Amino acid sequence: MSVTSSSAAIHAPKFAADPRVTAVCVHPGACDTALLPLHAHEGGPAAEGAAHVVRLCDPAAEIVNGAHYDRDARIEPAPAATEGRSVRRLTRLADLLVGRAA
């Protein structure tokens, strides 16, 4: 399983605690898609960003379950992704948005 949202940054370690699941948070890089104007001025081809995600999904790839990746490189998560209050707030919002009781 591969995820790329802000919520994923917080939930990847929780999902990774389940031995049946491998979960990481991946930033594929800025990609030239319809969403590009929301966060960058220029980006690479979407296929290039997808290739980073696909590589990490390959069972032969050496990854750390629950880790964060920027393209192919393992990185430390942003402080907000591990700060307790932010985690609780984003979890409540994510649960609300997907229709689970908060």
Side-chain angles (χ1 to χ4, degrees), residues 1-101:
M1 175 170 126
S2 174
V3 288
T4 58
S5 72
S6 297
S7 178
I10 290 173
H11 293 295
K14 179 174 73 175
F15 293 138
D18 184 333
R20 302 168 298 167
V21 176
T22 298
V24 299
C25 180
V26 182
H27 185 295
C31 297
D32 190 9
T33 68
L35 297 176
L36 183 65
L38 298 175
H39 59 86
H41 296 290
E42 53 185 59
E48 188 177 296
H52 297 296
V53 176
V54 168
R55 189 197 72 73
L56 292 173
C57 290
D58 182 345
E62 291 187 30
I63 62 167
V64 176
N65 200 10
H68 294 238
Y69 290 84
D70 184 354
R71 298 167 187 86
D72 295 336
R74 184 170 175 214
I75 60 169
E76 289 299 314
T82 58
E83 190 272 318
R85 183 170 178 259
S86 297
V87 170
R88 289 188 300 278
R89 291 179 69 204
L90 186 55
T91 298
R92 280 194 306 269
L93 178 60
D95 287 346
L96 185 86
L97 291 172
V98 298
R100 292 189 342 197

